């Protein structure tokens, strides 16, 4: 571990994944904090390191996510969270796009600031029960009617697990619209480079000054490294022992949990 710590010199900003790093379990009511993670967040804040929470959650607004984390005892506010919907909003504004939304009802307020009349693109997120035939077909009709069809997808996951079992994720429905309209979606969310870059911009640090801590070897660790950041994998959440022998992605370090990661990073600051 000593050698590993040496590789962590020059860190100025920390990007934390949320699910599987701060807390375990999910779904509507659920979730328990991972031991030591609340204190670890405080420790980062007290150290003077910049901090962003980075999630690909696309079912609820950041407000709802933050409320849940606060209920679990975390000191976190909405403006500390990087999420796909606000990142997509920035892109839409830059490109003068007016979206037709196929997203969960709870996510709609994230797009309040945008003009949605006479849409010239479709934005799809994890709409869960709102993925009805009617809603999908409406999005399809908008997309196929465009001269230059633009489909923006908040994530591309296949499925995920909630307390009551596995659930189809947004990627499955994204593929359906791609197939129907013969287009390729632009994906916003981990592991897309653009997504990590927005977290870095918000912290005002360079990629080589930042470190990602996540439980997903491909989306968190691989995504951040692609962007020039360093990355640690925690052995909590969706971590599996075989991740440490992953054929393509090697983390800059493997730690038991967030508390251990933060100890190593903060110790390095005082060297
Ligand atoms: C919560 O975090 C903010 C910075 O994000 C910090 O200023 C404040 O002191 C923290 N509050 C507590 C109770 O630790
Ligand atoms: C989304 O689903 C909720 C719950 O089933 C429903 O009340 C709402 O009308 C749906 N919204 C849309 C736009 O389909
Ligand atoms: C979010 O990322 C996690 C991995 O960190 C993945 O399991 C999940 O399917 C993704 N969810 C969405 C909505 O993209
Ligand atoms: Mg995670």
């Amino acid at each position: 571990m000593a050698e590993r710590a040496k590789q962590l010199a020059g860190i100025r900003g920390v990007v934390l994944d949320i699910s599987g790093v701060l807390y375990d379990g999910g779904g509507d009511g659920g979730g328990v904090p991972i031991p030591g993670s609340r204190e670890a967040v405080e420790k980062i804040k007290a150290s003077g390191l910049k901090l962003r929470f980075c999630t690909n959650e696309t079912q609820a607004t950041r407000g709802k996510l933050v409320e849940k984390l606060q209920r679990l005892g975390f000191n976190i506010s909405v403006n500390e969270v990087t999420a796909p919907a606000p990142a997509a909003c920035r892109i839409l504004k830059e490109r003068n796009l007016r979206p037709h939304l196929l997203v969960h009802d709870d996510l709609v307020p994230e797009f309040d600031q945008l003009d949605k009349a006479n849409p010239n693109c479709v934005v799809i997120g994890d709409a869960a029960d709102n993925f009805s035939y009617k809603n999908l077909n409406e999005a399809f009709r908008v997309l196929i009617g465009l001269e230059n069809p633009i489909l923006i997808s908040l994530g591309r996951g296949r499925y995920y697990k909630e307390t009551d079992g596995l659930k189809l994720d947004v990627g499955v429905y994204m593929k359906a619209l791609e197939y129907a309209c013969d287009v390729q979606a632009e994906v916003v969310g981990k592991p897309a480079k653009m997504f990590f870059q927005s977290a870095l911009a918000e912290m005002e640090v360079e990629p080589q000054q930042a470190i990602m801590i996540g439980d997903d070897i491909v989306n968190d660790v691989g995504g951040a490294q692609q962007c020039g950041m360093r990355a640690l994998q925690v052995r909590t959440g969706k971590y599996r022992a075989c991740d440490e022998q992953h054929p393509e992605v090697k983390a800059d370090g493997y730690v038991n949990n967030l508390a251990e990661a933060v100890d190593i990073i903060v110790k390095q600051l005082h060297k």
Side-chain angles (χ1 to χ4, degrees), residues 227-255:
C227 192
M229 298 165 63
R230 282 165 277 183
L232 302 178
Q233 189 183 17
V234 287
R235 298 190 183 104
T236 54
K238 63 162 57 163
Y239 164 87
R240 290 178 306 165
C242 63
D243 291 345
E244 298 190 30
Q245 267 83 50
H246 195 278
E248 274 122 45
V249 185
K250 185 161 177 47
D252 295 280
Y254 302 87
V255 289

Side-chain angles (χ1 to χ4, degrees), residues 64-261:
K64 285 213 168 163
L65 178 65
V66 160
E67 264 172 43
K68 170 177 169 167
L69 289 166
Q70 287 172 345
R71 264 201 314 278
L72 295 176
F74 290 96
N75 177 11
I76 176 173
S77 65
V78 169
N79 55 26
E80 295 173 298
V81 178
T82 302
C89 274
R90 253 199 311 277
I91 293 165
L92 294 168
K93 269 186 213 151
E94 272 168 25
R95 290 164 55 183
N96 285 318
L97 292 171
R98 301 177 303 275
H100 171 88
L101 300 176
L102 177 53
V103 301
H104 197 281
D105 274 1
D106 288 347
L107 196 70
V108 172
E110 293 272 17
F111 296 88
D112 273 353
Q113 304 297 317
L114 292 171
D115 180 9
K116 288 182 274 308
N118 189 19
N120 55 6
C121 75
V122 169
V123 173
I124 184 171
D126 178 11
D129 288 338
N130 287 121
F131 277 135
S132 61
Y133 178 81
K134 180 173 165 292
N135 289 345
L136 264 164
N137 203 50
E138 235 172 73
F140 158 69
R141 285 181 181 177
V142 170
L143 198 58
I144 198 121
L146 296 173
E147 199 180 316
N148 171 30
I150 297 173
L151 175 61
I152 292 178
S153 189
L154 308 177
R156 54 171 306 146
R158 292 186 171 126
Y159 55 87
Y160 54 92
K161 191 173 165 194
E162 283 196 345
T163 24
D164 60 346
L166 295 175
K167 305 219 159 157
L168 287 176
D169 202 350
V170 60
V172 176
Y173 301 91
M174 173 195 94
K175 288 283 180 193
L177 290 180
E178 283 186 340
Y179 182 55
C181 302
D182 198 17
V183 294
Q184 181 125 40
E186 301 173 39
V187 180
V188 183
K190 293 184 280 188
K193 224 180 199 168
M194 207 163 43
F195 189 60
F196 288 100
Q197 281 162 348
S198 48
L200 291 170
E202 287 152 353
M203 291 197 294
E204 299 179 309
V205 306
E206 298 299 318
Q208 61 279 8
Q209 301 173 316
I211 191 159
M212 169 86 206
I213 303 172
D215 63 328
D216 186 312
I217 187 72
V218 172
N219 292 304
D220 296 328
V221 174
Q225 287 176 336
Q226 285 284 315
C227 192
M229 298 165 63
R230 282 165 277 183
L232 302 178
Q233 189 183 17
V234 287
R235 298 190 183 104
T236 54
K238 63 162 57 163
Y239 164 87
R240 290 178 306 165
C242 63
D243 291 345
E244 298 190 30
Q245 267 83 50
H246 195 278
E248 274 122 45
V249 185
K250 185 161 177 47
D252 295 280
Y254 302 87
V255 289
N256 286 327
N257 50 43
L258 179 62
E260 190 183 326

